[in-house]
Amino acid sequence: MFRKLWAATAASNLSDGVTLAAAPLLAATITRDPAMIAGITVAQRAPWLVLAFVSGALADRLDRRKVAQSANWIRAAAFAALTAAVLADTLSMPLLYVVFFAIGTAETLYDSVSAAWVPMLVGPEELTRANSRLQTTWVVCNEFAGPPIGGFLFAAAAAAPFALGTAGYLAAVGLLALIPSAARGKDEPDGGPFTVRSVREDIVAGARWYWSSPVLRALSLVAAAGNAAVAASYGLLVLLAQDELGVSDEGYGLMLAASAIGAVLGGMAAGRVGGWFRPGTLILVTNLLSAAATAGLGLALGPAVTVALMALDGFVVLVVSVHMVTLRQQIVPNELMGRVTSVYRVVAVGSFAVGGIAGGAVAAAFGVPASFYAAGAAIAVTAVAVLPVLSNARLAEVVRQAEAAADPADAGTVAPGTVEAAGAAAGPADAVAAGTAATGQVATGQAGIGSADGGPADAGAVAAGAADVATGGIAPVS
């Protein structure tokens, strides 16, 4: 069943990748105003700041397969309307904004749903491999295949890339139909009447669980720092390449390709690398390497060194993303996954805007290389600051408690007071992941809801960063 979800994700990711090149090209046929063209990205990302919490609540309350299919229907309809407008020569910037706001809204739904789906299709021991495949597929479709295809098709016919995107989303709908229903389990507590108040309460429960888990907050802080650093540095990479390194447009393209190649290799090697390091050590080492690579780019030591540093950065970012996603899967109760992921993603995605603004300000004041130094420093400082929370011992205890509570065979063997001890060591929500799951009860209005189904389905989330925009070829940290 996972292969069907994998194929559906590839189809929708390819549609996303095609538009990365085609959307700005299409906008450029209407206006040459940079602010108006940039507005497309704003329109697509805005739903993550205004609708993500609602999408997370819906993902936990409704049949996840149907929600995922509905999200792809929305995206297909939006692209179909855009294709028709291009063919009828009725295209306008307001229409583009509406279309990409709809695409962004659908992304919040799909990503929130998929966050709780993969662990329902694979066992705990297969989560890292599944996440590696999804992350690698995202890079291949969004970085390698999608943009060139989009550019080629647009040159042939302006409507062609969006017609292909429509077909890709429809294919994803069909593939998702082959997966069994992903509704709430029979043993899960009823969510109650579907009202505005109930949705608000669901959102609050997810936000409380997120906030009361020191481990999850630390993971989101690492992701936010990494994404902000990407926006602050790689967003100015073209200036570094042209002004400091003197590379041609073709050379700049090769630099971006090196980063994507490193990311693909990182996704393929993530499982093996995870066998070399314990989780806390892996997060620290990969972030320090990313920090060094990012700061090293600012030195502008030459095209060859820059390409090597970008490949290294792409590699370690994909490795750490895969393992951070797996950690979330292991500690967040499945029935809360959509809501908790939506909060997590708002923090991670929102950091792009902060990083972009900060990077521009640093570059204006001290020069473009300074933005790379500052970005590298931010990654390193954050990785060291969260080390006490993301220590190997602490992560191992939180994961062990969550796994024991999620397994009905082991739930009865958890000694009294064990959960409380875990809570003292790892924070209230980290204990709730184990404690409320052992009883299968919902603590209304409390920090979290425990797992009731047990087994592999309660491990957690998918590679939620799959739909994000990568800046300069570096995939977003998840």
Side-chain angles (χ1 to χ4, degrees):
M1 292 303 174
F2 169 75
R3 291 183 181 273
K4 296 181 177 64
L5 177 61
W6 187 13
T9 300
S12 60
N13 282 345
L14 182 60
S15 296
D16 293 337
V18 165
T19 63
L20 286 178
L25 289 172
L26 184 62
T29 65
I30 304 174
T31 179
R32 307 301 294 182
D33 186 338
M36 293 188 69
I37 294 176
I40 295 176
T41 300
V42 174
Q44 188 171 1
R45 293 299 146 212
W48 277 107
L49 300 179
V50 298
L51 297 175
F53 298 126
V54 175
S55 295
L58 295 178
D60 287 339
R61 182 174 282 268
L62 304 177
D63 185 318
R64 287 163 176 161
R65 185 188 67 182
K66 292 180 180 178
V67 174
Q69 287 180 301
S70 297
N72 279 319
W73 277 118
I74 292 172
R75 294 194 278 195
F79 271 10
L82 185 56
T83 302
V86 173
L87 293 174
D89 196 22
T90 58
L91 189 65
S92 66
M93 289 305 296
L95 175 61
L96 279 175
Y97 295 150
V98 170
V99 165
F100 281 93
F101 185 85
I103 294 292
T105 300
E107 286 176 356
T108 67
L109 285 168
Y110 189 88
D111 289 354
S112 296
V113 167
S114 62
W117 209 348
V118 165
M120 299 175 72
L121 301 177
V122 302
E125 70 283 355
E126 294 295 323
L127 285 175
T128 298
R129 178 182 297 181
N131 289 328
S132 296
R133 290 175 174 177
L134 290 170
Q135 291 275 19
T136 303
T137 299
W138 181 88
V139 174
V140 170
C141 292
N142 280 56
E143 298 294 332
F144 281 133
I149 292 174
F152 176 80
L153 290 177
F154 187 86
F162 305 102
L164 177 62
T166 301
Y169 291 132
L170 291 176
V173 171
L175 289 165
L176 291 172
L178 301 177
I179 302 175
S181 177
R184 298 175 66 89
K186 293 180 180 179
D187 297 330
E188 290 186 30
D190 188 357
F194 189 75
T195 63
V196 172
R197 180 177 180 180
S198 65
V199 170
R200 183 171 61 248
E201 291 172 349
D202 285 349
I203 293 172
V204 170
R208 285 178 174 170
W209 201 100
Y210 163 85
W211 185 251
S212 59
S213 170
V215 168
L216 197 60
R217 293 203 314 271
L219 289 174
S220 67
L221 185 60
V222 170
N227 290 336
V230 166
S233 57
Y234 282 85
L236 301 173
L237 182 64
V238 65
L239 298 179
L240 184 80
Q242 294 176 346
D243 299 342
E244 304 292 334
L245 297 173
V247 303
S248 63
D249 292 344
E250 293 79 6
Y252 178 66
L254 290 175
M255 289 170 59
L256 298 183
S259 177
I261 290 172
V264 170
L265 294 176
M268 295 171 61
R272 179 171 296 182
V273 175
W276 299 341
F277 301 99
R278 296 177 68 186
T281 302
L282 184 144
I283 292 173
L284 177 63
V285 170
T286 52
N287 274 278
L288 291 179
L289 287 173
S290 178
T294 302
L297 290 175
L299 297 174
L301 297 177
V305 174
T306 299
V307 165
L309 290 174
M310 291 184 67
L312 172 63
D313 200 17
F315 181 91
V316 297
V317 166
L318 252 291
V319 169
V320 73
S321 292
V322 167
H323 288 280
M324 285 172 60
V325 168
T326 301
L327 276 173
R328 292 208 314 271
Q329 293 169 337
Q330 293 172 325
I331 66 175
V332 180
N334 186 264
E335 63 273 19
L336 268 173
M337 190 61 63
R339 286 164 282 177
V340 173
T341 296
S342 68
V343 180
Y344 186 102
R345 297 269 285 147
V346 166
V347 174
V349 174
S351 67
F352 275 109
V354 176
I357 294 172
V362 171
F366 305 103
V368 171
S371 65
F372 288 83
Y373 305 148
I379 296 172
V381 169
T382 302
V384 173
V386 301
L387 185 58
V389 180
L390 299 182
S391 66
N392 289 320
R394 190 167 193 174
L395 291 177
E397 177 64 14
V398 170
V399 171
R400 187 189 71 79
Q401 290 292 329
E403 289 178 347
D407 188 344
D410 295 336
T413 65
V414 177
T418 304
V419 170
E420 288 76 5
D430 299 330
V432 170
T436 60
T439 62
Q441 309 233 340
V442 179
T444 305
Q446 294 182 4
I449 301 178
S451 169
D453 284 343
D458 299 311
V462 73
D468 278 345
V469 174
T471 305
I474 293 293
V477 181
S478 298

